[in-house]
Amino acid sequence: MSNQSSNQMWGGRFASGPDAIMEAINASIGFDQRLAPQDIAGSRAHAAMLAATGIVECSDAEQMRKGLLTILSEIEAGNFEFSAALEDIHMNVESRLTDIIGPVAGRLHTARSRNDQVATDFRLWVRDQCDAVEAGLTALMRALLGQAEAGADWVMPGFTHLQTAQPVTWGHHMMAYVEMFARDRSRFQDARARMNECPLGAAALAGTGFAIDRDMTAHALGFDRPMANSLDAVSDRDFALEFLGASSICAMHLSRLAEELVIWSSAQFRFVMLSDRFSTGSSIMPQKKNPDAAELIRAKIGRIVGANIALLTVMKGLPLAYSKDMQEDKEQVFDAADTLMLALAAMEGMVRDMTANRPALAAAAASGFSTATDLADWLVRELGLPFREAHHVTGSLVARAEALECDLPDLSLAEMQAVHGQITTAVYSVLGVENSVASRRSYGGTAPDQVRRQVARWKDLLV
Ligand code: ARG
């Protein structure tokens, strides 16, 4: 834009303004305008502290406070003209403050730098996102709990290697995701607690000669304490990386659930019906109902992990303290946070609305010799066979059933006894899927009463 006159905020030693390309690569206002509320909150805290410590006149600070509030309402109303010539949100706000209150605005930047300013603003923004993600995760956990409670005793096949393994309950499968998302929630809570220290007052890198009160600004902004090392305060972006790391793991969990929904909603599985509100049609194939939201959630992890790696790569090898490289932090985190929030909301809606196909789940649970382990366990318990031998006997029975194209419970007693003479009719009781799941009562097991215990525990924890 302006390459005749030098920058009004820092152009004292410059004879001319920047080249247009320089301005284009340098300006961050196109994206960091999202930090406006945090920037204004930080400036208000700083102004109040400058007045309380006698560094600026109280009447000046009062003008700053009013002017900053005016700017906030202008931005909120969409009446603020952001200027690329003013580079970033910090200088856009300060320049507008000068328009409104005159040269006294120039006192606001006493004892601070854009380096501690941006570190503070960004921490505040990421801190808010941790809270938003936590709320999104809680809503998703509630939707999963609703499914688990309704289907605590609905049998379905449990898989390993995506091959039928042992019967489990629908509720148990849903609760597995509750546990995963609960760990995600605690990762965001941990990150939030660790990031809750205030960089403001670190100034450019070395602290300041003014007698500032860093506890005052830290507490005004809801931080637990000021950061203890000024070099670290302006050069640290661990908080953003922790947010991206927690987001990456959470996105990985979402992609696993999304993948299951894609598989389960297929005509081959028919385990779930997605609601019309969370599926789409095909423009050519009239019969189709596609799980697009699940597919997109499955894919979104790419952007989030990409952001994580991008920021790690930006930060790698940067010497202390601030370097302009660090301006590349924001777009990655903004995009990852927006993406994660959208994916969480879409998953919550899909899970809340979906209908499990209980008969299809039950039919699938009973196929694929899913109770073979129960049979082997019965041979151990009732006939005293060593487990390895029981495994072998059961394998022979499975082979026999396969040859006869039937399931294990369809084998006659004579067929069974041909493989092991001591087998009795009592064996049939363990070949039923309902009995199989009901027997798995060990803590954390799939038995419906265990699932109900976990549902009750989580319902208490989520109130
Ligand atoms: N827009 C900059 C950023 O996001 C603000 C800090 C600029 N500091 C500086 N010394 N140029 O990183």
Side-chain angles (χ1 to χ4, degrees):
M1 256 175 238
S2 71
N3 74 356
Q4 294 85 14
S5 58
S6 68
N7 187 291
Q8 58 166 294
M9 313 302 282
W10 48 248
R13 61 163 294 174
F14 288 79
S16 83
D19 188 271
I21 297 296
M22 179 62 214
E23 188 176 286
I25 195 172
N26 199 36
S28 53
I29 190 62
F31 48 88
D32 71 10
Q33 52 184 268
R34 278 184 84 161
L35 298 177
Q38 289 75 16
D39 194 68
I40 288 168
S43 287
R44 285 182 56 195
H46 188 66
M49 182 278 290
L50 291 177
T53 50
I55 296 169
V56 304
E57 298 287 335
C58 287
S59 54
D60 290 353
E62 179 54 18
Q63 284 193 60
M64 292 174 197
R65 189 184 71 82
K66 285 195 186 137
L68 288 164
L69 286 176
T70 304
I71 295 170
L72 183 61
S73 51
E74 287 174 356
I75 293 174
E76 282 172 353
N79 292 334
F80 191 96
E81 218 174 288
F82 293 104
S83 150
L86 290 164
E87 282 183 38
D88 57 25
I89 185 61
H90 324 294
M91 296 203 296
N92 271 268
V93 169
E94 192 185 323
S95 166
R96 179 70 188 129
L97 191 62
T98 309
D99 295 344
I100 300 173
I101 67 172
V104 86
R107 298 190 184 278
L108 175 60
H109 214 53
T110 313
R112 78 171 184 189
S113 145
R114 278 187 293 155
N115 298 348
D116 58 340
Q117 206 180 345
V118 73
T120 304
D121 295 1
F122 199 31
R123 255 174 210 260
L124 289 170
W125 194 90
V126 175
R127 192 179 73 182
D128 283 351
Q129 287 303 304
C130 288
D131 296 338
V133 170
E134 187 184 334
L137 279 165
T138 305
L140 174 55
M141 288 166 72
R142 287 215 173 90
L144 288 160
L145 271 176
Q147 288 286 348
E149 192 169 28
D153 58 356
W154 299 354
V155 289
M156 68 180 282
F159 298 91
T160 61
H161 315 265
L162 197 57
Q163 308 287 320
T164 300
Q166 294 174 350
V168 295
T169 49
W170 171 255
H172 198 49
H173 202 117
M174 294 296 109
M175 292 306 290
Y177 282 103
V178 169
E179 295 289 334
M180 290 149 81
F181 293 122
R183 284 195 297 277
D184 287 328
R185 241 174 32 138
S186 78
R187 263 183 284 274
F188 284 102
Q189 287 162 351
D190 288 351
R192 187 196 196 284
R194 216 170 0 261
M195 77 179 65
N196 205 29
E197 295 188 338
C198 187
L200 196 60
L205 74 165
T208 173
F210 291 98
I212 58 172
D213 182 347
R214 290 194 60 203
D215 288 305
M216 183 178 167
T217 41
H219 293 139
L221 295 168
F223 288 110
D224 295 330
R225 64 191 79 84
M227 290 182 78
N229 182 297
S230 62
L231 292 168
D232 179 46
V234 294
S235 66
D236 171 58
R237 292 295 181 271
D238 291 1
F239 62 95
L241 287 166
E242 284 198 46
F243 177 80
L244 293 175
S247 298
S248 297
I249 297 176
C250 179
M252 176 273 289
H253 289 153
L254 285 169
S255 80
R256 295 181 75 172
L257 178 52
E259 166 76 348
E260 301 220 88
L261 295 182
V262 170
I263 295 173
W264 291 351
S265 62
S266 68
Q268 288 66 29
F269 271 74
R270 297 190 312 110
F271 283 8
V272 295
M273 277 252 300
L274 299 177
S275 74
D276 288 356
R277 282 160 27 108
F278 284 96
S279 28
T280 55
S282 154
S283 55
I284 175 167
M285 295 165 283
Q287 84 284 10
K288 294 269 293 211
K289 190 166 166 189
N290 291 329
D292 294 41
E295 296 167 79
L296 287 163
I297 293 168
R298 187 172 60 182
K300 294 287 185 195
I301 182 170
R303 297 165 73 134
I304 294 171
V305 173
N308 194 3
I309 292 176
L311 185 54
L312 270 175
T313 312
V314 165
M315 295 307 295
K316 178 204 164 292
L318 284 187
L320 301 189
Y322 177 84
S323 297
K324 194 63 173 258
D325 310 48
M326 289 159 69
Q327 179 166 287
E328 290 289 311
D329 56 2
K330 284 171 270 308
E331 283 167 293
Q332 302 296 341
V333 175
F334 290 160
D335 185 66
D338 293 344
T339 302
L340 185 62
M341 287 304 296
L342 182 60
L344 283 170
M347 185 57 93
E348 190 243 330
M350 241 185 329
V351 170
R352 195 179 359 89
D353 276 18
M354 74 187 178
T355 313
N357 182 348
R358 194 176 174 183
L361 290 171
S367 70
F369 312 110
S370 66
T371 52
T373 314
D374 300 82
L375 173 50
D377 287 349
W378 184 88
L379 294 169
V380 170
R381 229 179 16 248
E382 303 300 324
L383 305 186
L385 301 193
F387 183 77
R388 269 300 142 231
E389 190 186 339
H391 186 287
H392 194 81
V393 169
T394 307
S396 307
L397 288 166
V398 166
R400 191 71 196 124
E402 216 162 27
L404 296 172
E405 293 182 14
C406 68
D407 282 316
L408 283 173
D410 307 323
L411 287 177
S412 69
L413 188 60
E415 289 284 357
M416 298 255 195
Q417 287 176 342
V419 175
H420 195 286
Q422 282 167 279
I423 296 179
T424 67
T425 50
V427 77
Y428 290 101
S429 69
V430 300
L431 298 182
V433 175
E434 309 276 343
N435 286 340
S436 167
V437 294
S439 75
R440 295 209 154 70
R441 284 211 166 78
S442 54
Y443 177 77
T446 197
D449 52 354
Q450 284 296 330
V451 173
R452 290 194 183 98
R453 252 171 77 176
Q454 293 300 329
V455 170
R457 180 171 78 89
W458 276 112
K459 278 174 91 173
D460 280 351
L461 288 171
L462 288 187
V463 283

